[in-house]
Amino acid sequence: MSKTEPNIIDDVAFKDALGERYLAYAMSTITSRSLPDVRDGLKPVHRRLLYAMLQLRLDPKSGFKKCARVVGDVIGKYHPHGDTAVYDTMVRLAQNFAVRYPLVDGQGNFGSIDGDNAAAMRYTEARLTDVAMALMERINEDTVDFRDTYDGEDSEPVVMPAGFPNLLANGSEGIAVGMATSIPPHNLGEICDALLKLIKSPNAKIETLVASMPGPDFPTGGVIVESEESLLKTYSEGRGSIRIRAKWEKEELSHGLYQIVVTEIPYQVQKSKLIEKIADLYRAKKLPLLGNISDESAEDMRIVLEPKSRTVDPEVLMESLFKVTDLESRFNMNLNVLTAGNVPKVLDLREVLQAYLDHRHDVLVRRTKWRLDKIARRVEILEGLLVAYLNLDEVIRIIREEDEPKQVMMKQFSLSDVQVEAILNMRLRQLRKLEEVEIKAEHKELKEEEKGLKALLKDEGLRWSAISDEVKELRKRFGQKTELGARRTQFGDAPDPSKVISIEAFVEKEPITVVVSQLGWVRAFKGHFDNLPDLKFKEGDGPKFQLKAKTTDKLIIFATDGRFYTLPCDKLPRGKGHGEPIRLMVDLEQKDEPISIRVHDAERKLLVASDIGKGFLVDEKDVVAQTRNGKQVLNPGKGKALLCVPAEGDHVAVIGSNRKMLVFPLDQLPPMKRGQGVGLQKYKGATLSDAKVFNLEDGLEWDIGDRTRHEEDLKPWLGNRASVGKLPPVGFPRTNKFHSE
């Protein structure tokens, strides 16, 4: 670098450079990859694929072409990305179980609802469908803007004319940076009905529009089980959850038996994975009402479910399956789209429909102006030809005798350059009388068309009437009365929350006695026993907990790590042998031990505390864990969880390792759902030994061996929470425990 050459390197803070580049990446992802355009419902890769197929003349009436040829054109001319991404897009647009109105007509193996992949692109062939042609109709009539392709050698449409409302009809899904979109497919006939209502009443309320298109129409059918109020709220806000269930029917068999046949499953659920999940749950004994499952599907779906016995109610069986399998799923709708200004925004239903109509209005105006320009050019030529017919002999003379016939004719007949060029380019056969008559007829017809088009541009009412006619024609082509447009997804009653059947309702209710050993082995014996005869343990082990329960109950286990673990009683190993270690049933670490085990009571409160003397009250309904990992409730800090006792009473008695006892009102303890808690007793070089909740009026009891001692006068020990306390009553156990172990 010479001394006179300026320094072109700028020092930029790494944070600023990274932020600037990430913002550019985020905007590119949002606007050029993940979010669809509200006008045509397409992302750039879809738009480029369809346009490339149109340029290859792959219309529905033509033959198929290899997908590899199409993908090559797309990535070579319009979309410089990986061929796999383009082919995957093409495959999805051809799958009638993934797209409500397929835009690609595929020939060959394009995958299945079981999750099978499509064949390689060199084996499959494709062409456009009628729907895709409607989407791109009149694209060559200046209806939309074009821009240069990535290499500047060609041009591509910025947006499609969208003669088909693709955004709502086929839906869209995508994840961008910091935002996402998830739009379900809808029935075209219903969309058209809503569009016609909005054209007629531009200020129509969303309630009116939802009355015309009450909910999604998924390609795989199914049953929507959402209330009308919930769906209206979803379409009003542009966000919401829509619950879909499989469609099923009961088939009667001989001898009073029956089976259930599932004929339609929720959208985006793979049949093979669904059956595999149901089979896994069946083997894990989590579907006690199901006897067997088999797949008898051919072209039509047929999943057969056999009940455990003929006495099982089919409704109850299906509810049990809906609760734990993908026979019921949710579609989380998010109408996040790119508006006409390329700005991402969540729209409500009316705004989406209006944006589509505004686009169609712009398309109508642009193609009308384009047509007027074409007519003007043609009329100009026709008028020049008519002048030539009226002065045919003179025209022939000028052409034969003059050196510059073009200039002479322009001056003599007051013709334009275009008109004279048309006259000079006429063939001799066009000089016949019949040709003159046809030109006059064409001229008259074009002038009438021009008059109508000019009137259309001047009158907005006429334009909306024309758009309304287009919508009606579209409804006639693809509406509910056609095979493609018939509604597939039905509507069902939303389940009553008060009548939802829990899994516990399917478990046979039996009394059991649960035994937990000192080393953490658990087993259950059928029946209730105070003393179990011949109870055997492994060498070095012995009994620790024994409690009566039912198979429909849950065990709540509190451990030294401050976590609560939950075990359903019907899943406990039976009494034969030594049982199973609790650690294999929940994720309890080796360094931690169970402190207490009790039968779950949702109405009860518990006092939990750590050995550093801190604790709080917690509702037992809030400690139930949904996973093997348990639920962290008490944070033991530098200590460890020490106790969990029922909070049944009005006072708390606590005693520390320093042999000081304190009694204070229960209402001084705060109710919490999670945390370290507050101080129960003040210590100096000591820890908490035990605590008990009791009624002050009844007095305090404690165990001494097999006997029970009782103290009614507790005034010496009454105080406030976090006080030091005093020595316990005479005769209190040296173990500093209220209950003997």
Side-chain angles (χ1 to χ4, degrees):
M1 184 183 292
S2 65
K3 293 183 179 180
T4 58
E5 189 175 345
N7 187 359
I8 59 173
I9 299 176
D10 294 328
D11 291 333
V12 180
F14 181 73
K15 178 181 177 182
D16 296 336
L18 184 63
E20 179 184 343
R21 284 157 178 76
Y22 188 74
L23 180 61
Y25 163 73
M27 289 303 297
S28 172
T29 302
I30 292 168
T31 60
S32 302
R33 186 182 304 176
S34 300
L35 297 189
D37 194 296
V38 69
R39 296 168 291 181
D40 62 5
L42 298 174
K43 301 175 187 178
V45 64
H46 301 121
R47 196 176 295 118
R48 290 163 177 167
L49 171 66
L50 295 176
Y51 185 65
M53 293 181 72
L54 183 68
Q55 295 301 97
L56 287 170
R57 294 185 175 86
L58 292 177
D59 59 81
K61 296 180 181 178
S62 69
F64 292 88
K65 269 192 173 67
K66 287 286 185 183
C67 292
R69 165 69 192 281
V70 177
V71 171
D73 267 30
V74 173
I75 64 177
K77 291 183 178 180
Y78 308 106
H79 197 71
H81 297 275
D83 58 345
T84 302
V86 176
Y87 184 52
D88 287 347
T89 299
M90 190 177 191
V91 167
R92 187 178 183 279
L93 293 182
Q95 292 174 334
N96 58 8
F97 54 86
V99 183
R100 179 62 182 85
Y101 298 91
L103 301 178
V104 173
D105 181 11
Q107 182 169 269
N109 176 15
F110 276 79
S112 72
I113 198 170
D114 278 326
D116 300 321
N117 293 325
M121 68 180 82
R122 62 183 178 273
Y123 300 120
T124 55
E125 299 177 337
R127 63 184 177 187
L128 295 168
T129 63
D130 287 330
V131 172
M133 296 303 293
L135 187 63
M136 296 183 285
E137 204 167 47
R138 304 196 180 197
I139 194 172
N140 296 322
E141 297 181 10
D142 193 35
T143 49
V144 292
D145 291 331
F146 278 71
R147 64 186 168 206
D148 289 340
T149 54
Y150 70 96
D151 57 3
E153 293 185 1
D154 213 326
S155 61
E156 61 176 334
V158 175
V159 65
M160 292 297 185
F164 180 86
N166 185 63
L167 180 69
L168 288 173
N170 275 328
S172 182
E173 289 191 61
I175 300 175
V177 177
M179 62 182 66
T181 185
S182 182
I183 304 170
H186 293 78
N187 186 272
L188 177 71
E190 295 171 355
I191 297 172
C192 291
D193 292 340
L195 289 171
L196 292 172
K197 280 188 177 180
L198 195 56
I199 292 173
K200 187 176 180 180
S201 305
N203 296 320
K205 294 183 178 180
I206 291 183
E207 293 89 332
T208 305
L209 301 175
V210 172
S212 292
M213 45 180 301
D217 186 20
F218 298 103
T220 54
V223 181
I224 294 174
V225 286
E226 285 291 338
S227 64
E228 293 180 5
E229 295 77 12
S230 175
L231 288 168
L232 179 59
K233 185 173 183 290
T234 297
Y235 284 115
S236 299
E237 298 177 354
R239 300 177 188 268
S241 179
I242 299 173
R243 183 163 35 175
I244 320 150
R245 286 184 167 183
K247 184 180 178 183
W248 61 277
E249 57 190 34
K250 177 183 175 183
E251 282 189 359
E252 299 287 352
L253 303 175
S254 60
H255 306 293
L257 300 175
Y258 75 89
Q259 64 185 16
I260 289 173
V261 178
V262 176
T263 56
E264 297 173 2
I265 59 177
Y267 184 50
Q268 295 178 329
V269 172
Q270 292 183 5
K271 177 164 64 70
S272 59
K273 289 188 177 180
L274 170 67
I275 294 173
E276 185 180 338
K277 174 70 179 296
I278 295 175
D280 289 343
L281 291 171
Y282 173 73
R283 284 191 291 267
K285 299 182 180 179
K286 293 184 178 180
L287 294 173
L289 300 185
L290 183 65
N292 191 24
I293 178 173
S294 58
D295 185 9
E296 299 179 359
S297 304
E299 291 184 3
D300 296 329
M301 184 173 298
R302 183 179 170 86
I303 302 173
V304 179
L305 305 170
E306 298 178 13
K308 195 83 169 180
S309 70
R310 71 181 70 183
T311 59
V312 174
D313 187 286
E315 295 281 350
V316 175
L317 172 57
M318 290 308 297
E319 284 296 331
S320 71
L321 289 163
F322 289 142
K323 189 176 180 67
V324 296
T325 72
D326 284 340
L327 286 172
E328 175 181 304
S329 67
R330 285 186 176 274
F331 189 98
N332 295 312
M333 188 172 87
N334 182 10
L335 284 171
N336 190 12
V337 294
L338 293 175
T339 60
N342 220 29
V343 177
K345 186 179 179 182
V346 177
L347 306 180
D348 61 36
L349 177 62
R350 196 178 72 83
E351 290 172 328
V352 170
L353 292 171
Q354 189 61 57
Y356 174 75
L357 288 176
D358 290 342
H359 176 56
R360 291 300 295 164
H361 184 269
D362 291 342
V363 167
L364 176 62
V365 171
R366 290 185 60 150
R367 79 164 188 255
T368 301
K369 290 180 178 179
W370 176 86
R371 180 58 182 162
L372 281 173
D373 185 55
K374 289 287 185 182
I375 289 174
R377 294 181 185 180
R378 182 60 179 166
V379 166
E380 181 184 3
I381 291 172
L382 293 177
E383 288 176 347
L385 294 177
L386 288 174
V387 169
Y389 279 112
L390 291 173
N391 303 277
L392 188 58
D393 293 338
E394 181 64 14
V395 167
I396 293 173
R397 187 196 67 78
I398 292 173
I399 293 173
R400 291 190 58 173
E401 297 179 2
E402 298 292 340
D403 294 333
E404 295 185 0
K406 183 176 181 180
Q407 300 299 327
V408 174
M409 276 193 284
M410 288 176 63
K411 183 177 181 180
Q412 184 169 337
F413 301 117
S414 300
L415 298 176
S416 67
D417 184 90
V418 173
Q419 290 172 321
V420 174
E421 280 292 335
I423 293 170
L424 293 175
N425 289 332
M426 274 197 310
R427 295 179 179 180
L428 290 175
R429 71 175 62 177
Q430 291 180 275
L431 299 178
R432 59 196 179 98
K433 184 69 176 177
L434 183 60
E435 196 72 28
E436 181 183 357
V437 174
E438 290 176 354
I439 290 175
K440 287 181 178 179
E442 183 184 355
H443 182 270
K444 181 180 179 182
E445 184 179 330
L446 289 176
K447 293 299 285 185
E448 289 178 356
E449 184 182 354
E450 183 182 46
K451 181 180 178 182
L453 293 176
K454 287 181 177 179
L456 186 68
L457 286 179
K458 290 180 181 179
D459 191 338
E460 185 177 359
L462 285 177
R463 294 199 294 274
W464 284 115
S465 178
I467 293 173
S468 180
D469 291 341
E470 290 175 358
V471 172
K472 290 176 182 176
E473 179 61 28
L474 185 69
R475 181 175 61 182
K476 184 178 179 181
R477 286 176 65 187
F478 306 111
Q480 294 101 318
K481 294 183 179 180
T482 65
E483 183 179 353
L484 177 64
R487 173 167 268 282
R488 300 179 188 178
T489 303
Q490 300 176 356
F491 292 91
D493 296 330
D496 186 349
S498 63
K499 296 181 179 179
V500 172
I501 305 171
S502 65
I503 292 299
E504 288 77 10
F506 309 131
V507 178
E508 188 176 352
K509 192 173 183 179
E510 293 179 342
I512 57 172
T513 301
V514 181
V515 176
V516 182
S517 73
Q518 296 171 5
L519 296 179
W521 287 66
V522 62
R523 48 187 155 159
F525 296 87
K526 192 172 182 179
H528 283 168
F529 302 94
D530 292 323
N531 294 302
L532 285 162
D534 301 325
L535 194 58
K536 296 180 181 180
F537 296 91
K538 287 179 175 289
E539 186 177 350
D541 200 0
K544 185 173 183 180
F545 299 104
Q546 181 173 317
L547 56 155
K548 298 174 182 177
K550 296 182 178 64
T551 50
T552 53
D553 290 332
K554 293 177 181 176
L555 291 186
I556 302 297
I557 304 170
F558 185 60
T560 53
D561 57 357
R563 287 180 175 272
F564 278 91
Y565 301 89
T566 305
L567 283 179
C569 287
D570 64 304
K571 302 298 186 295
L572 297 177
R574 292 309 178 186
K576 293 181 179 180
H578 298 105
E580 291 182 15
I582 290 178
R583 297 181 193 278
L584 294 181
M585 306 176 77
V586 297
D587 293 336
L588 180 64
E589 295 187 15
Q590 288 292 334
K591 63 183 179 66
D592 296 310
E593 298 292 335
I595 295 171
S596 73
I597 300 178
R598 63 188 71 253
V599 177
H600 174 57
D601 181 355
E603 303 299 323
R604 184 166 53 195
K605 290 182 181 293
L606 299 172
L607 167 62
V608 292
S610 61
D611 59 0
I612 61 175
K614 289 189 174 183
F616 57 88
L617 297 177
V618 61
D619 289 329
E620 194 167 325
K621 65 182 179 182
D622 294 328
V623 305
V624 177
Q626 303 297 330
T627 64
R628 288 172 51 97
N629 197 37
K631 188 172 186 179
Q632 187 74 54
V633 174
L634 176 67
N635 178 9
K638 294 182 179 179
K640 63 180 181 180
L642 179 70
L643 59 88
C644 171
V645 296
E648 297 170 349
D650 52 26
H651 278 69
V652 181
V654 294
I655 187 167
S657 60
N658 59 358
R659 203 163 171 75
K660 294 290 182 70
M661 189 175 82
L662 172 67
V663 177
F664 62 86
L666 181 67
D667 58 16
Q668 291 187 4
L669 278 180
M672 299 171 63
K673 289 188 177 181
R674 182 177 179 177
Q676 197 171 44
V678 297
L680 305 181
Q681 188 176 12
K682 188 175 182 180
Y683 304 114
K684 188 175 182 181
T687 58
L688 177 66
S689 291
D690 202 2
K692 180 178 182 179
V693 181
F694 67 102
N695 286 312
L696 185 64
E697 184 179 343
D698 299 334
L700 180 63
E701 292 183 348
W702 62 85
D703 298 335
I704 297 181
D706 296 334
R707 296 178 293 115
T708 300
R709 291 286 299 272
H710 187 87
E711 181 67 48
E712 292 186 356
D713 184 12
L714 297 171
K715 289 181 181 179
W717 295 278
L718 282 174
N720 291 320
R721 177 184 60 77
S723 299
V724 176
K726 296 182 179 181
L727 291 173
V730 176
F732 195 84
R734 301 302 299 180
T735 58
N736 293 333
K737 299 287 185 180
F738 292 104
H739 297 287
S740 59
E741 296 184 358

